[in-house]
Amino acid sequence: MNENSSKKQSLSSRDKKLDLASPKIMGILNATPDSFSDGGNFNEVDAALGRIGLMISQGAHIIDVGGESTRPGSEPVTEQEELDRVLPILKKAISQFPDTFFSIDTTKYRVAEEALKLGTHFVNDVSGLQKEPRFVDLCVQYNAGYVMMHSQGNPKTMQKDPTYDNVIADIKQFLKVRLDEAKEKGLKNIIIDPGIGFGKTLEHNLKLIAYLKEFQDLGCPILVGASRKSMIGQILNDRSVDDRLTGTIAVHYHALINGANIIRVHDVKEAHDSLQVFNAISSKM
């Protein structure tokens, strides 16, 4: 095993074990009309199920379903609208693909609760318990996993001059405080995410990838999601969203080298190819 990998080699959720001895892929399913990359493509249940099946066949281990865009500048949606977008998809997908892990990407309590009732395995919370601290008790109740992501501000305003004293130390402290509180309440299956692009400048994002190892001593698997994000467009001279695949693979490969256990992606086939190369090289180290 790569010496840079997290010491935690498995994670349990809903009586299923996610093997993290080698990195895993989380495929993105946006059931939204306005997500920055694929908004509007998978709103209908049949289209969403087709996309989920394709991502699984290409190598996705987890499918992350979201019903509210969190792109910079996005407007919030109502609880009912978000429920109407995600529940019909999850209801069919979880039964149709029983060997796959599913996560619900939300900051709303009822959306998470209804998704967990259907058998969803993880709550992926971009606010890191800032909006809904009750997620801890909810995940304990359902024996579900929890993805704790750092963000500064909210999606509508988060990219308006984000500042830190020390981006690595500040985010690490944010996560540590909430991890300690969550563990005290009995939540064990936690994944941490430094939150690339969520209230960060390009410089902040680059430092997070470069110093990702600093987060390993928090003792949790690390998720990184940089797929097609604006940091890649900035590096590549304002490259369009649809032309950021190579940059995405490069950023995620650096994240894997520096200890990422899960990468969250739009392009599963290409991510899986890069992961196979990574695993082959890492096995010789």
Side-chain angles (χ1 to χ4, degrees):
M1 182 178 176
N2 186 347
E3 64 181 2
N4 293 334
S5 298
S6 172
K7 293 179 181 178
K8 189 159 187 176
Q9 295 190 40
S10 67
L11 191 79
S12 296
S13 177
R14 310 300 295 264
D15 298 320
K16 287 180 67 173
K17 183 173 287 188
L18 180 65
D19 179 10
L20 293 171
S22 62
K24 296 294 181 282
I25 294 170
M26 174 183 279
I28 300 167
L29 193 287
N30 289 317
T32 58
D34 58 342
S35 290
F36 79 95
S37 179
D38 55 0
N41 291 348
F42 310 113
N43 292 16
E44 300 298 326
V45 174
D46 288 346
L49 291 173
R51 176 63 177 170
I52 290 169
L54 176 62
M55 288 193 288
I56 292 170
S57 71
Q58 291 176 337
H61 307 91
I62 309 166
I63 302 296
D64 191 40
V65 179
E68 179 177 47
S69 175
T70 52
R71 63 178 172 78
S74 62
E75 296 286 349
V77 301
T78 66
E79 177 185 90
Q80 190 57 53
E81 188 172 4
E82 193 172 340
L83 287 167
D84 291 343
R85 290 175 178 179
V86 300
L87 293 189
I89 294 170
L90 285 169
K91 185 175 182 179
K92 289 194 173 183
I94 291 170
S95 61
Q96 189 169 326
F97 306 103
D99 296 328
T100 299
F101 288 85
F102 285 87
S103 65
I104 178 66
D105 182 357
T106 189
T107 58
K108 296 182 179 69
Y109 184 88
R110 185 164 170 241
V111 175
E113 182 179 38
E114 294 301 321
L116 290 173
K117 285 179 181 178
L118 292 175
T120 301
H121 303 89
F122 295 96
V123 174
N124 184 9
D125 175 17
V126 300
S127 82
L129 299 175
Q130 293 179 95
K131 289 188 177 180
E132 189 47 86
R134 293 180 297 167
F135 277 166
V136 173
D137 293 329
L138 185 65
C139 288
V140 171
Q141 177 185 344
Y142 283 90
N143 191 30
Y146 174 74
V147 181
M148 179 183 292
M149 197 192 84
H150 172 274
S151 62
Q152 187 181 99
N154 58 59
K156 188 170 177 60
T157 63
M158 64 188 178
Q159 290 307 106
K160 294 181 178 179
D161 192 30
T163 58
Y164 299 86
D165 292 329
N166 179 308
V167 68
I168 304 299
D170 290 358
I171 293 175
K172 191 173 178 180
Q173 180 63 17
F174 170 96
L175 293 170
K176 185 179 186 306
V177 169
R178 284 155 183 80
L179 279 171
D180 289 345
E181 293 172 351
K183 289 176 180 178
E184 284 181 9
K185 293 185 177 182
L187 184 57
K188 299 177 182 178
N189 304 308
I190 305 172
I191 297 166
I192 57 173
D193 179 350
I196 299 297
F198 281 77
K200 282 97 176 172
T201 64
L202 174 59
E203 182 70 12
H204 295 146
N205 291 323
L206 293 173
K207 284 185 176 179
L208 286 169
I209 297 297
Y211 293 94
L212 195 65
K213 293 177 188 176
E214 295 292 324
F215 295 93
Q216 288 183 314
D217 61 11
L218 292 175
C220 295
I222 300 169
L223 183 152
V224 171
S227 185
R228 305 185 190 176
K229 287 189 174 178
S230 62
M231 68 170 288
I232 297 164
Q234 289 175 271
I235 294 168
L236 301 177
N237 300 314
D238 297 322
R239 189 74 60 82
S240 68
V241 170
D242 292 336
D243 197 17
R244 297 175 185 172
L245 174 57
T246 305
T248 295
I249 292 172
V251 171
H252 282 162
Y253 203 93
H254 274 280
L256 293 169
I257 290 171
N258 289 335
N261 302 94
I262 302 168
I263 51 174
R264 182 178 181 273
V265 307
H266 297 88
D267 305 286
V268 173
K269 179 181 181 295
E270 292 81 359
H272 187 258
D273 286 351
S274 69
L275 191 55
Q276 285 185 293
V277 173
F278 174 82
N279 287 334
I281 295 171
S282 297
S283 70
K284 305 303 178 185
M285 296 174 68

